[in-house]
PDB file of all heavy atoms in Angstrom:
ATOM      1  N   MET T   1      31.545-124.551  47.354  1.00 74.00           N
ATOM      2  CA  MET T   1      31.448-124.940  45.962  1.00 74.00           C
ATOM      3  C   MET T   1      30.257-124.256  45.295  1.00 74.00           C
ATOM      4  O   MET T   1      30.354-123.802  44.164  1.00 74.00           O
ATOM      5  CB  MET T   1      31.325-126.473  45.900  1.00 74.00           C
ATOM      6  CG  MET T   1      31.188-127.011  44.521  1.00 74.00           C
ATOM      7  SD  MET T   1      32.748-126.863  43.656  1.00 74.00           S
ATOM      8  CE  MET T   1      32.348-127.630  42.145  1.00 74.00           C
ATOM      9  N   ALA T   2      29.149-124.195  46.005  1.00 76.00           N
ATOM     10  CA  ALA T   2      27.950-123.575  45.439  1.00 76.00           C
ATOM     11  C   ALA T   2      28.166-122.076  45.220  1.00 76.00           C
ATOM     12  O   ALA T   2      27.665-121.518  44.243  1.00 76.00           O
ATOM     13  CB  ALA T   2      26.753-123.813  46.355  1.00 76.00           C
ATOM     14  N   ASN T   3      28.906-121.441  46.113  1.00 81.00           N
ATOM     15  CA  ASN T   3      29.172-120.007  45.967  1.00 81.00           C
ATOM     16  C   ASN T   3      29.989-119.718  44.716  1.00 81.00           C
ATOM     17  O   ASN T   3      29.747-118.727  44.019  1.00 81.00           O
ATOM     18  CB  ASN T   3      29.920-119.468  47.189  1.00 81.00           C
ATOM     19  CG  ASN T   3      29.019-119.400  48.415  1.00 81.00           C
ATOM     20  OD1 ASN T   3      27.797-119.397  48.292  1.00 81.00           O
ATOM     21  ND2 ASN T   3      29.626-119.353  49.585  1.00 81.00           N
ATOM     22  N   LYS T   4      30.954-120.577  44.416  1.00 84.00           N
ATOM     23  CA  LYS T   4      31.773-120.398  43.210  1.00 84.00           C
ATOM     24  C   LYS T   4      30.914-120.562  41.958  1.00 84.00           C
ATOM     25  O   LYS T   4      31.075-119.841  40.975  1.00 84.00           O
ATOM     26  CB  LYS T   4      32.921-121.401  43.187  1.00 84.00           C
ATOM     27  CG  LYS T   4      33.992-121.110  44.210  1.00 84.00           C
ATOM     28  CD  LYS T   4      35.118-122.110  44.108  1.00 84.00           C
ATOM     29  CE  LYS T   4      36.162-121.829  45.180  1.00 84.00           C
ATOM     30  NZ  LYS T   4      37.244-122.802  45.128  1.00 84.00           N
ATOM     31  N   PHE T   5      30.015-121.536  41.982  1.00 78.00           N
ATOM     32  CA  PHE T   5      29.133-121.771  40.839  1.00 78.00           C
ATOM     33  C   PHE T   5      28.243-120.555  40.592  1.00 78.00           C
ATOM     34  O   PHE T   5      28.084-120.116  39.452  1.00 78.00           O
ATOM     35  CB  PHE T   5      28.267-123.018  41.089  1.00 78.00           C
ATOM     36  CG  PHE T   5      27.303-123.301  39.981  1.00 78.00           C
ATOM     37  CD1 PHE T   5      27.748-123.816  38.775  1.00 78.00           C
ATOM     38  CD2 PHE T   5      25.952-123.031  40.128  1.00 78.00           C
ATOM     39  CE1 PHE T   5      26.873-124.071  37.746  1.00 78.00           C
ATOM     40  CE2 PHE T   5      25.063-123.270  39.108  1.00 78.00           C
ATOM     41  CZ  PHE T   5      25.524-123.802  37.904  1.00 78.00           C
ATOM     42  N   VAL T   6      27.690-120.004  41.640  1.00 79.00           N
ATOM     43  CA  VAL T   6      26.838-118.818  41.520  1.00 79.00           C
ATOM     44  C   VAL T   6      27.651-117.637  41.000  1.00 79.00           C
ATOM     45  O   VAL T   6      27.193-116.887  40.131  1.00 79.00           O
ATOM     46  CB  VAL T   6      26.175-118.479  42.879  1.00 79.00           C
ATOM     47  CG1 VAL T   6      25.487-117.129  42.821  1.00 79.00           C
ATOM     48  CG2 VAL T   6      25.189-119.566  43.277  1.00 79.00           C
ATOM     49  N   ALA T   7      28.860-117.471  41.491  1.00 78.00           N
ATOM     50  CA  ALA T   7      29.711-116.366  41.052  1.00 78.00           C
ATOM     51  C   ALA T   7      30.044-116.494  39.565  1.00 78.00           C
ATOM     52  O   ALA T   7      29.981-115.510  38.816  1.00 78.00           O
ATOM     53  CB  ALA T   7      30.986-116.313  41.879  1.00 78.00           C
ATOM     54  N   VAL T   8      30.389-117.669  39.115  1.00 81.00           N
ATOM     55  CA  VAL T   8      30.698-117.898  37.703  1.00 81.00           C
ATOM     56  C   VAL T   8      29.453-117.665  36.848  1.00 81.00           C
ATOM     57  O   VAL T   8      29.528-117.046  35.782  1.00 81.00           O
ATOM     58  CB  VAL T   8      31.260-119.320  37.485  1.00 81.00           C
ATOM     59  CG1 VAL T   8      31.357-119.662  36.009  1.00 81.00           C
ATOM     60  CG2 VAL T   8      32.627-119.452  38.145  1.00 81.00           C
ATOM     61  N   PHE T   9      28.318-118.127  37.295  1.00 76.00           N
ATOM     62  CA  PHE T   9      27.065-117.939  36.574  1.00 76.00           C
ATOM     63  C   PHE T   9      26.743-116.450  36.418  1.00 76.00           C
ATOM     64  O   PHE T   9      26.378-115.988  35.333  1.00 76.00           O
ATOM     65  CB  PHE T   9      25.929-118.667  37.298  1.00 76.00           C
ATOM     66  CG  PHE T   9      24.610-118.554  36.617  1.00 76.00           C
ATOM     67  CD1 PHE T   9      24.365-119.234  35.429  1.00 76.00           C
ATOM     68  CD2 PHE T   9      23.597-117.775  37.153  1.00 76.00           C
ATOM     69  CE1 PHE T   9      23.145-119.135  34.786  1.00 76.00           C
ATOM     70  CE2 PHE T   9      22.370-117.661  36.523  1.00 76.00           C
ATOM     71  CZ  PHE T   9      22.149-118.342  35.337  1.00 76.00           C
ATOM     72  N   LEU T  10      26.890-115.701  37.480  1.00 81.00           N
ATOM     73  CA  LEU T  10      26.624-114.264  37.425  1.00 81.00           C
ATOM     74  C   LEU T  10      27.600-113.546  36.491  1.00 81.00           C
ATOM     75  O   LEU T  10      27.213-112.637  35.758  1.00 81.00           O
ATOM     76  CB  LEU T  10      26.671-113.651  38.821  1.00 81.00           C
ATOM     77  CG  LEU T  10      25.526-114.047  39.755  1.00 81.00           C
ATOM     78  CD1 LEU T  10      25.755-113.473  41.144  1.00 81.00           C
ATOM     79  CD2 LEU T  10      24.193-113.599  39.200  1.00 81.00           C
ATOM     80  N   MET T  11      28.849-113.934  36.501  1.00 84.00           N
ATOM     81  CA  MET T  11      29.830-113.331  35.594  1.00 84.00           C
ATOM     82  C   MET T  11      29.469-113.619  34.142  1.00 84.00           C
ATOM     83  O   MET T  11      29.614-112.751  33.272  1.00 84.00           O
ATOM     84  CB  MET T  11      31.238-113.852  35.903  1.00 84.00           C
ATOM     85  CG  MET T  11      31.804-113.304  37.187  1.00 84.00           C
ATOM     86  SD  MET T  11      31.929-111.506  37.195  1.00 84.00           S
ATOM     87  CE  MET T  11      33.137-111.243  35.932  1.00 84.00           C
ATOM     88  N   CYS T  12      29.004-114.822  33.870  1.00 75.00           N
ATOM     89  CA  CYS T  12      28.581-115.160  32.503  1.00 75.00           C
ATOM     90  C   CYS T  12      27.415-114.275  32.068  1.00 75.00           C
ATOM     91  O   CYS T  12      27.380-113.809  30.920  1.00 75.00           O
ATOM     92  CB  CYS T  12      28.198-116.631  32.408  1.00 75.00           C
ATOM     93  SG  CYS T  12      29.607-117.739  32.550  1.00 75.00           S
ATOM     94  N   ILE T  13      26.484-114.048  32.954  1.00 81.00           N
ATOM     95  CA  ILE T  13      25.339-113.200  32.641  1.00 81.00           C
ATOM     96  C   ILE T  13      25.805-111.778  32.329  1.00 81.00           C
ATOM     97  O   ILE T  13      25.344-111.153  31.372  1.00 81.00           O
ATOM     98  CB  ILE T  13      24.316-113.202  33.794  1.00 81.00           C
ATOM     99  CG1 ILE T  13      23.631-114.566  33.870  1.00 81.00           C
ATOM    100  CG2 ILE T  13      23.282-112.099  33.612  1.00 81.00           C
ATOM    101  CD1 ILE T  13      22.712-114.730  35.055  1.00 81.00           C
ATOM    102  N   VAL T  14      26.735-111.264  33.105  1.00 77.00           N
ATOM    103  CA  VAL T  14      27.257-109.908  32.888  1.00 77.00           C
ATOM    104  C   VAL T  14      27.953-109.814  31.532  1.00 77.00           C
ATOM    105  O   VAL T  14      27.760-108.853  30.784  1.00 77.00           O
ATOM    106  CB  VAL T  14      28.209-109.503  34.033  1.00 77.00           C
ATOM    107  CG1 VAL T  14      28.963-108.232  33.702  1.00 77.00           C
ATOM    108  CG2 VAL T  14      27.430-109.348  35.328  1.00 77.00           C
ATOM    109  N   VAL T  15      28.760-110.808  31.194  1.00 74.00           N
ATOM    110  CA  VAL T  15      29.480-110.801  29.910  1.00 74.00           C
ATOM    111  C   VAL T  15      28.498-110.851  28.740  1.00 74.00           C
ATOM    112  O   VAL T  15      28.637-110.103  27.774  1.00 74.00           O
ATOM    113  CB  VAL T  15      30.493-111.968  29.853  1.00 74.00           C
ATOM    114  CG1 VAL T  15      31.058-112.137  28.458  1.00 74.00           C
ATOM    115  CG2 VAL T  15      31.613-111.746  30.860  1.00 74.00           C
ATOM    116  N   VAL T  16      27.506-111.701  28.809  1.00 67.00           N
ATOM    117  CA  VAL T  16      26.514-111.803  27.736  1.00 67.00           C
ATOM    118  C   VAL T  16      25.742-110.494  27.592  1.00 67.00           C
ATOM    119  O   VAL T  16      25.508-110.015  26.480  1.00 67.00           O
ATOM    120  CB  VAL T  16      25.551-112.990  27.994  1.00 67.00           C
ATOM    121  CG1 VAL T  16      24.362-112.950  27.054  1.00 67.00           C
ATOM    122  CG2 VAL T  16      26.300-114.303  27.859  1.00 67.00           C
ATOM    123  N   ALA T  17      25.376-109.886  28.692  1.00 67.00           N
ATOM    124  CA  ALA T  17      24.657-108.609  28.650  1.00 67.00           C
ATOM    125  C   ALA T  17      25.526-107.522  28.024  1.00 67.00           C
ATOM    126  O   ALA T  17      25.045-106.713  27.232  1.00 67.00           O
ATOM    127  CB  ALA T  17      24.220-108.205  30.049  1.00 67.00           C
ATOM    128  N   ALA T  18      26.798-107.505  28.348  1.00 66.00           N
ATOM    129  CA  ALA T  18      27.708-106.488  27.795  1.00 66.00           C
ATOM    130  C   ALA T  18      27.827-106.633  26.285  1.00 66.00           C
ATOM    131  O   ALA T  18      27.796-105.640  25.551  1.00 66.00           O
ATOM    132  CB  ALA T  18      29.073-106.601  28.454  1.00 66.00           C
ATOM    133  N   PHE T  19      27.953-107.849  25.796  1.00 65.00           N
ATOM    134  CA  PHE T  19      28.048-108.052  24.354  1.00 65.00           C
ATOM    135  C   PHE T  19      26.744-107.704  23.657  1.00 65.00           C
ATOM    136  O   PHE T  19      26.750-107.177  22.537  1.00 65.00           O
ATOM    137  CB  PHE T  19      28.461-109.493  24.026  1.00 65.00           C
ATOM    138  CG  PHE T  19      29.925-109.747  24.200  1.00 65.00           C
ATOM    139  CD1 PHE T  19      30.378-110.646  25.132  1.00 65.00           C
ATOM    140  CD2 PHE T  19      30.864-109.065  23.428  1.00 65.00           C
ATOM    141  CE1 PHE T  19      31.732-110.880  25.302  1.00 65.00           C
ATOM    142  CE2 PHE T  19      32.221-109.290  23.587  1.00 65.00           C
ATOM    143  CZ  PHE T  19      32.656-110.202  24.526  1.00 65.00           C
ATOM    144  N   SER T  20      25.625-107.970  24.275  1.00 66.00           N
ATOM    145  CA  SER T  20      24.330-107.630  23.682  1.00 66.00           C
ATOM    146  C   SER T  20      24.176-106.120  23.540  1.00 66.00           C
ATOM    147  O   SER T  20      23.673-105.632  22.534  1.00 66.00           O
ATOM    148  CB  SER T  20      23.187-108.184  24.531  1.00 66.00           C
ATOM    149  OG  SER T  20      23.234-109.580  24.557  1.00 66.00           O
ATOM    150  N   LEU T  21      24.610-105.376  24.534  1.00 62.00           N
ATOM    151  CA  LEU T  21      24.526-103.918  24.480  1.00 62.00           C
ATOM    152  C   LEU T  21      25.430-103.362  23.388  1.00 62.00           C
ATOM    153  O   LEU T  21      25.060-102.411  22.700  1.00 62.00           O
ATOM    154  CB  LEU T  21      24.894-103.314  25.825  1.00 62.00           C
ATOM    155  CG  LEU T  21      23.893-103.536  26.948  1.00 62.00           C
ATOM    156  CD1 LEU T  21      24.451-102.989  28.263  1.00 62.00           C
ATOM    157  CD2 LEU T  21      22.573-102.871  26.629  1.00 62.00           C
ATOM    158  N   GLN T  22      26.614-103.940  23.203  1.00 65.00           N
ATOM    159  CA  GLN T  22      27.524-103.473  22.171  1.00 65.00           C
ATOM    160  C   GLN T  22      26.939-103.699  20.785  1.00 65.00           C
ATOM    161  O   GLN T  22      27.068-102.866  19.899  1.00 65.00           O
ATOM    162  CB  GLN T  22      28.872-104.175  22.287  1.00 65.00           C
ATOM    163  CG  GLN T  22      29.693-103.690  23.467  1.00 65.00           C
ATOM    164  CD  GLN T  22      31.010-104.414  23.589  1.00 65.00           C
ATOM    165  OE1 GLN T  22      31.249-105.403  22.918  1.00 65.00           O
ATOM    166  NE2 GLN T  22      31.864-103.920  24.468  1.00 65.00           N
ATOM    167  N   GLU T  23      26.287-104.840  20.560  1.00 65.00           N
ATOM    168  CA  GLU T  23      25.675-105.125  19.270  1.00 65.00           C
ATOM    169  C   GLU T  23      24.533-104.168  18.992  1.00 65.00           C
ATOM    170  O   GLU T  23      24.366-103.691  17.872  1.00 65.00           O
ATOM    171  CB  GLU T  23      25.185-106.571  19.221  1.00 65.00           C
ATOM    172  CG  GLU T  23      26.299-107.584  19.166  1.00 65.00           C
ATOM    173  CD  GLU T  23      25.795-109.009  19.207  1.00 65.00           C
ATOM    174  OE1 GLU T  23      24.577-109.224  19.065  1.00 65.00           O
ATOM    175  OE2 GLU T  23      26.630-109.909  19.383  1.00 65.00           O
ATOM    176  N   ALA T  24      23.733-103.856  19.985  1.00 58.00           N
ATOM    177  CA  ALA T  24      22.629-102.921  19.807  1.00 58.00           C
ATOM    178  C   ALA T  24      23.150-101.533  19.489  1.00 58.00           C
ATOM    179  O   ALA T  24      22.613-100.834  18.630  1.00 58.00           O
ATOM    180  CB  ALA T  24      21.754-102.892  21.065  1.00 58.00           C
ATOM    181  N   LYS T  25      24.204-101.126  20.161  1.00 63.00           N
ATOM    182  CA  LYS T  25      24.803 -99.808  19.920  1.00 63.00           C
ATOM    183  C   LYS T  25      25.373 -99.734  18.507  1.00 63.00           C
ATOM    184  O   LYS T  25      25.230 -98.720  17.825  1.00 63.00           O
ATOM    185  CB  LYS T  25      25.890 -99.540  20.960  1.00 63.00           C
ATOM    186  CG  LYS T  25      26.568 -98.220  20.836  1.00 63.00           C
ATOM    187  CD  LYS T  25      25.653 -97.091  21.223  1.00 63.00           C
ATOM    188  CE  LYS T  25      26.409 -95.789  21.251  1.00 63.00           C
ATOM    189  NZ  LYS T  25      25.533 -94.663  21.371  1.00 63.00           N
ATOM    190  N   ALA T  26      26.014-100.797  18.052  1.00 57.00           N
ATOM    191  CA  ALA T  26      26.575-100.820  16.698  1.00 57.00           C
ATOM    192  C   ALA T  26      25.474-100.709  15.650  1.00 57.00           C
ATOM    193  O   ALA T  26      25.636-100.028  14.638  1.00 57.00           O
ATOM    194  CB  ALA T  26      27.384-102.098  16.484  1.00 57.00           C
ATOM    195  N   ALA T  27      24.342-101.355  15.884  1.00 60.00           N
ATOM    196  CA  ALA T  27      23.230-101.273  14.937  1.00 60.00           C
ATOM    197  C   ALA T  27      22.684 -99.851  14.867  1.00 60.00           C
ATOM    198  O   ALA T  27      22.357 -99.354  13.787  1.00 60.00           O
ATOM    199  CB  ALA T  27      22.128-102.244  15.334  1.00 60.00           C
ATOM    200  N   GLU T  28      22.600 -99.168  16.012  1.00 61.00           N
ATOM    201  CA  GLU T  28      22.130 -97.784  16.017  1.00 61.00           C
ATOM    202  C   GLU T  28      23.093 -96.881  15.261  1.00 61.00           C
ATOM    203  O   GLU T  28      22.671 -96.002  14.518  1.00 61.00           O
ATOM    204  CB  GLU T  28      21.998 -97.281  17.455  1.00 61.00           C
ATOM    205  CG  GLU T  28      20.850 -97.856  18.209  1.00 61.00           C
ATOM    206  CD  GLU T  28      20.804 -97.377  19.646  1.00 61.00           C
ATOM    207  OE1 GLU T  28      21.527 -96.428  19.987  1.00 61.00           O
ATOM    208  OE2 GLU T  28      20.048 -97.966  20.423  1.00 61.00           O
ATOM    209  N   GLU T  29      24.390 -97.093  15.453  1.00 65.00           N
ATOM    210  CA  GLU T  29      25.387 -96.278  14.771  1.00 65.00           C
ATOM    211  C   GLU T  29      25.326 -96.481  13.267  1.00 65.00           C
ATOM    212  O   GLU T  29      25.507 -95.533  12.509  1.00 65.00           O
ATOM    213  CB  GLU T  29      26.781 -96.592  15.309  1.00 65.00           C
ATOM    214  CG  GLU T  29      27.009 -96.097  16.718  1.00 65.00           C
ATOM    215  CD  GLU T  29      28.343 -96.517  17.302  1.00 65.00           C
ATOM    216  OE1 GLU T  29      29.112 -97.216  16.612  1.00 65.00           O
ATOM    217  OE2 GLU T  29      28.608 -96.153  18.447  1.00 65.00           O
ATOM    218  N   ASP T  30      25.069 -97.720  12.821  1.00 76.00           N
ATOM    219  CA  ASP T  30      24.958 -97.991  11.390  1.00 76.00           C
ATOM    220  C   ASP T  30      23.780 -97.244  10.790  1.00 76.00           C
ATOM    221  O   ASP T  30      23.891 -96.684   9.699  1.00 76.00           O
ATOM    222  CB  ASP T  30      24.819 -99.491  11.129  1.00 76.00           C
ATOM    223  CG  ASP T  30      26.111-100.251  11.398  1.00 76.00           C
ATOM    224  OD1 ASP T  30      27.179 -99.611  11.457  1.00 76.00           O
ATOM    225  OD2 ASP T  30      26.040-101.487  11.546  1.00 76.00           O
ATOM    226  N   ASN T  31      22.647 -97.226  11.492  1.00 83.00           N
ATOM    227  CA  ASN T  31      21.471 -96.512  10.996  1.00 83.00           C
ATOM    228  C   ASN T  31      21.741 -95.020  10.909  1.00 83.00           C
ATOM    229  O   ASN T  31      21.381 -94.367   9.928  1.00 83.00           O
ATOM    230  CB  ASN T  31      20.264 -96.766  11.900  1.00 83.00           C
ATOM    231  CG  ASN T  31      19.751 -98.177  11.785  1.00 83.00           C
ATOM    232  OD1 ASN T  31      20.008 -98.868  10.811  1.00 83.00           O
ATOM    233  ND2 ASN T  31      19.036 -98.621  12.795  1.00 83.00           N
ATOM    234  N   PHE T  32      22.366 -94.471  11.929  1.00 87.00           N
ATOM    235  CA  PHE T  32      22.687 -93.041  11.928  1.00 87.00           C
ATOM    236  C   PHE T  32      23.666 -92.717  10.814  1.00 87.00           C
ATOM    237  O   PHE T  32      23.491 -91.739  10.089  1.00 87.00           O
ATOM    238  CB  PHE T  32      23.276 -92.624  13.280  1.00 87.00           C
ATOM    239  CG  PHE T  32      23.637 -91.165  13.331  1.00 87.00           C
ATOM    240  CD1 PHE T  32      22.677 -90.216  13.617  1.00 87.00           C
ATOM    241  CD2 PHE T  32      24.931 -90.744  13.066  1.00 87.00           C
ATOM    242  CE1 PHE T  32      22.996 -88.867  13.641  1.00 87.00           C
ATOM    243  CE2 PHE T  32      25.263 -89.409  13.093  1.00 87.00           C
ATOM    244  CZ  PHE T  32      24.290 -88.460  13.380  1.00 87.00           C
ATOM    245  N   LYS T  33      24.680 -93.539  10.654  1.00 89.00           N
ATOM    246  CA  LYS T  33      25.699 -93.293   9.631  1.00 89.00           C
ATOM    247  C   LYS T  33      25.098 -93.326   8.232  1.00 89.00           C
ATOM    248  O   LYS T  33      25.417 -92.479   7.395  1.00 89.00           O
ATOM    249  CB  LYS T  33      26.809 -94.337   9.762  1.00 89.00           C
ATOM    250  CG  LYS T  33      27.997 -94.095   8.872  1.00 89.00           C
ATOM    251  CD  LYS T  33      29.091 -95.097   9.149  1.00 89.00           C
ATOM    252  CE  LYS T  33      30.311 -94.839   8.302  1.00 89.00           C
ATOM    253  NZ  LYS T  33      31.384 -95.797   8.577  1.00 89.00           N
ATOM    254  N   GLU T  34      24.221 -94.290   7.992  1.00 92.00           N
ATOM    255  CA  GLU T  34      23.567 -94.385   6.682  1.00 92.00           C
ATOM    256  C   GLU T  34      22.699 -93.159   6.423  1.00 92.00           C
ATOM    257  O   GLU T  34      22.747 -92.567   5.341  1.00 92.00           O
ATOM    258  CB  GLU T  34      22.721 -95.655   6.621  1.00 92.00           C
ATOM    259  CG  GLU T  34      22.061 -95.881   5.286  1.00 92.00           C
ATOM    260  CD  GLU T  34      21.253 -97.168   5.247  1.00 92.00           C
ATOM    261  OE1 GLU T  34      21.541 -98.083   6.040  1.00 92.00           O
ATOM    262  OE2 GLU T  34      20.331 -97.241   4.424  1.00 92.00           O
TER     263      GLU T  34
END
């Protein structure tokens, strides 16, 4: 049970990190485009 909890927690961290990187990249593209 503990292993599943750790696995789910790590997946959540990966998903949040991926979305954060996409937002940062979009902000850079907006600055360049402007």
Side-chain angles (χ1 to χ4, degrees):
M1 179 72 177
N3 288 340
K4 289 182 182 178
F5 178 74
V6 170
V8 170
F9 181 72
L10 290 175
M11 288 300 294
C12 290
I13 290 174
V14 169
V15 170
V16 169
F19 281 117
S20 297
L21 290 175
Q22 287 179 350
E23 289 176 11
K25 181 70 173 169
E28 288 177 12
E29 290 175 359
D30 289 342
N31 290 339
F32 179 83
K33 187 175 182 179
E34 183 179 336

